[in-house]
Amino acid sequence: MEKAIRKKSSHRKFKAFTKIWSIIYLIMLTFFEMIMVFTNYFPARYMLVGALLLGGVSFILFLLLFFNSFKFVVKLIALILSLVLFAAFALGSVYALKTDSFLDYVSRSKNDDAVEVTEKPFNVYISGMDTGGKITNEGRSDVNMIATVNPKTHTILLTSIPRDYQINLVDKDDATDKLTHTGLYGINTTISSVEDLMGIKINYYIKVNYSTLYQLVESIGGIYVVSDYEFTSYIDHYHFVKGENHMNGHEALAFARERQAFTDGDVQRTKDQQKVITAVIDKMTSSTTLLTRYNKILKAISDYLDMNFTPTEVKALVRMQLDENPKWKIEHSNITGFDSYQTTYSSGNQEVYVMEQDEASVNAAKDKIKKVMHPNEEKNSDKSSNEN
């Protein structure tokens, strides 16, 4: 008799707890939904379907937990399921808020050259500084790459320009200098000078350095890169075979910086830098990497990245990727030139090595960018030629 009374008492306490818990659960669900709407990372149809499913399941769970007419076993199952969902809501809210905090930290609130990144093609200037540690405003730009992105054709063209390439400093009366030195005068000088060289508008920039690449590759568990040559790097003496190599952060950095092992020097280095970036993009866009290492990636690169994408534009790209899940086609282009020694703006009267411009190479790179940005114009031009 006493045992039955204790059992009945414990059931009453359990039912009282589930009633309180059902209210706490609803509060957490409401908070989670508000966070999802506020952060706005998911496509509208995903949000709608998710809200309907969670709302339906949560309504049933609330009824089972709040009202005492249901059996103990049923309420226990409902409690366990609500605990699992509660943990998922909490984790999802933390991830969304951390991502928002990350974007606010590394990006800009306004960009006068912004475009509708999911509707129109755009150019991103990738500037790799020759430093480690936190990103600074000035420093030589040793990696110089234009990423031309067409969100409609899902094509990315990476155009590399050698660090020693001859360039005119637009904001310094067109004085001649090496491209790498433009970074000493700030990213705006680099961008205006490259825009002048290529005859394009650069809408965005991303500044990275040695630490960015190392941290990023480490955070995603390494990358696979196909090397054109077998060589031992000058930096840290890593050995790479011709063909596929698995690289950790240190190895990827040494591979991307190497030029002394090659006859083509900086030209081959720019090709290898493209290979590393392509490998990182391929790894990061795989579903398992982002899902399992998302938090680690954000934490690893937050102090080593600067860009003028706004959080709104990044979120738009994320929503597009989730909604369409496109397979991006990555193409490569490399500008070349001629060896020469000249005086430059930064060297004064001293002659230094400069890669003199090759007009044919620059024009070929311009044509490739145009084809990616305006593929329909190329098709119409080809059609007109055939008709004539």
Side-chain angles (χ1 to χ4, degrees), residues 269-281:
R269 179 166 68 169
T270 60
K271 294 178 181 179
D272 289 340
Q273 290 166 353
Q274 290 178 345
K275 289 175 182 287
V276 170
I277 289 177
T278 301
V280 170
I281 293 173

Side-chain angles (χ1 to χ4, degrees), residues 1-17:
M1 185 71 175
E2 186 178 343
K3 185 177 181 181
I5 293 173
R6 285 201 303 269
K7 184 177 181 181
K8 193 173 182 179
S9 176
S10 64
H11 280 194
R12 280 199 302 269
K13 290 179 181 179
F14 177 74
K15 289 178 180 180
F17 169 75

